[in-house]
Amino acid sequence: MMWPFYLMALVAIISTIRVITNSNPVHALLSLIVSLLAVAGIFFIVGAPFAGALEIIVYAGAIMVLFVFVVMMLNLGSHTVLQEKSWLTSETWAWPAALSFILAVVLVWTLSQTQHEAVMGQQVIGAKAVGTSLFTKYLLIVEVAAMLLLGALVSAYHLGKRGLGEDEKEQG
């Protein structure tokens, strides 16, 4: 019963290698979405459905859609239309589609075989157990992570912002 885990791991590895080797950022992001979905499938297989659902909703859903939107918005202009048409070949969609099909087959098989049981783990870990553990045993680590993320957000804002007169100085 280990083949679903290994198949998901193989899909994650192949799609992650495609993220690194793709020169087109949109293609790399599509492969990253497939990789994140494979990791979510691994979470489901090992008995952590809450972590798998968060992986799909937060990373593969919200953050990756935002990345794709931003990257596609950066390519605005009439001079990039021909370039974008050349990028949308059948080979572009073949790898992510094939890997996603493998993910779907494994997930459908896994969900049809088990009824609220972990395939590999001893027990299923629910949202209540995760929340209780995070806010009792690991409270200090959660607070430190929150402060680090806040510091990173403030730093990114200050590094990315421009002064009011900087645009004129660069053009002049």
Side-chain angles (χ1 to χ4, degrees):
M1 290 304 259
M2 294 289 289
W3 71 268
F5 175 81
Y6 288 122
L7 196 57
M8 288 286 195
L10 181 67
V11 168
I13 290 169
I14 290 172
S15 60
T16 303
I17 289 172
R18 288 185 50 79
V19 169
I20 297 168
T21 58
N22 268 326
S23 60
N24 184 347
V26 175
H27 298 171
L29 287 174
L30 289 174
S31 294
L32 186 58
I33 291 171
V34 172
S35 176
L36 291 171
L37 290 174
V39 171
I42 291 172
F43 279 134
F44 282 113
I45 289 171
V46 298
F50 181 69
L54 284 179
E55 180 84 17
I56 291 171
I57 294 169
V58 174
Y59 291 110
I63 293 176
M64 293 314 300
V65 167
L66 178 68
F67 283 177
V68 170
F69 180 74
V70 168
V71 167
M72 292 177 88
M73 289 299 290
L74 292 177
N75 289 331
L76 290 178
S78 60
H79 64 284
T80 60
V81 172
L82 292 175
Q83 183 181 17
E84 288 176 8
K85 285 184 181 180
S86 69
W87 286 346
L88 294 175
T89 62
S90 60
E91 183 183 337
T92 302
W93 294 99
W95 277 99
L99 294 174
S100 297
F101 177 74
I102 293 171
L103 288 176
V105 168
V106 171
L107 283 175
V108 167
W109 181 85
T110 304
L111 292 175
S112 68
Q113 294 297 318
T114 59
Q115 297 296 326
H116 306 292
E117 296 177 9
V119 175
M120 290 180 59
Q122 300 292 330
Q123 62 185 359
V124 176
I125 301 169
K128 184 177 179 182
V130 171
T132 302
S133 183
L134 281 178
F135 291 109
T136 55
K137 188 175 174 183
Y138 300 108
L139 180 63
L140 182 61
I141 295 172
V142 170
E143 292 296 327
V144 168
M147 294 304 286
L148 284 173
L149 288 172
L150 178 64
L153 177 71
V154 171
S155 299
Y157 171 75
H158 284 291
L159 289 173
K161 80 173 190 173
R162 293 180 174 210
L164 294 176
E166 288 185 24
D167 288 337
E168 292 86 20
K169 290 178 187 176
E170 289 179 5
Q171 292 175 0

